[in-house]
Amino acid sequence: YVAANPGRYHDFSDPRVWAVVAHAPGMRATFGPDGLSNVAVPAMVIGGVEDELTPYVEDHRGAYEGLSVVPRYLAGLTGCGHYSFATADFCMLLTSLSLSSDGCTDEYRPIDEALQTVQELTLAFLDTVRGESRARPWLPPDVGLDEWQAVEQ
């Protein structure tokens, strides 16, 4: 939208925001060619490596590579599609409406397992950013990642 409407950009910064966690971000369509390059708070990008709606390499890794803030993290979850981070009820709704079920079918990692990994990553990241030293060993988790990148200093 921003790229397609030059001159209509609004400053979306908010002093209350102290960290960002992007789950399966669709970067090109949402944020234009600059992606998340203006993010000024610690950031984590989490995506499923089998995501078909917002492809991992182009959108998720692309979002991470556009960040310059420190710290920043990228987590590529094994066996996950776009909706693998949703609840089972949400996946049932998508399926019943014949909408995309990318990440919701049996060929993907079980929803409850993927959601637990995402919750652990998110909470460990947020607590680490807040200075909780006991949270840092949880980054990255010991299972379920195809890719982990971190810039911490």
Side-chain angles (χ1 to χ4, degrees):
Y1 176 82
V2 173
N5 295 283
R8 295 195 63 194
Y9 173 75
H10 299 283
D11 181 0
F12 294 109
S13 62
D14 186 329
R16 296 172 297 173
V17 175
W18 49 271
V20 172
V21 180
H23 293 179
M27 297 314 300
R28 291 177 188 5
T30 307
F31 296 101
D34 293 336
L36 298 178
S37 63
N38 291 323
V39 169
V41 295
M44 174 178 273
V45 176
I46 302 173
V49 295
E50 279 101 43
D51 191 328
E52 296 173 10
L53 289 176
T54 57
Y56 181 79
V57 171
E58 293 86 3
D59 286 319
H60 310 165
R61 188 183 301 141
Y64 173 79
E65 290 171 350
L67 290 165
S68 59
V69 68
V70 176
R72 62 184 177 273
Y73 302 92
L74 171 66
L77 276 69
T78 304
C80 291
H82 191 74
Y83 296 114
S84 292
F85 315 138
T87 64
D89 290 340
F90 184 74
C91 281
M92 286 182 4
L93 174 66
L94 290 174
T95 303
S96 71
L97 296 173
S98 299
L99 298 173
S100 173
S101 57
D102 178 11
C104 293
T105 60
D106 291 340
E107 65 199 58
Y108 295 97
R109 189 171 173 184
I111 293 288
D112 56 341
E113 183 183 310
L115 189 56
Q116 180 177 344
T117 300
V118 169
Q119 289 171 341
E120 288 176 2
L121 273 167
T122 301
L123 291 174
F125 165 68
L126 294 173
D127 279 351
T128 297
V129 169
R130 293 176 57 139
E132 296 281 343
S133 60
R134 67 177 186 219
R136 180 59 190 91
W138 293 91
L139 293 175
D142 58 357
V143 295
L145 295 182
D146 268 8
E147 179 174 24
W148 175 257
Q149 293 187 38
V151 176
E152 298 179 302
Q153 297 179 3

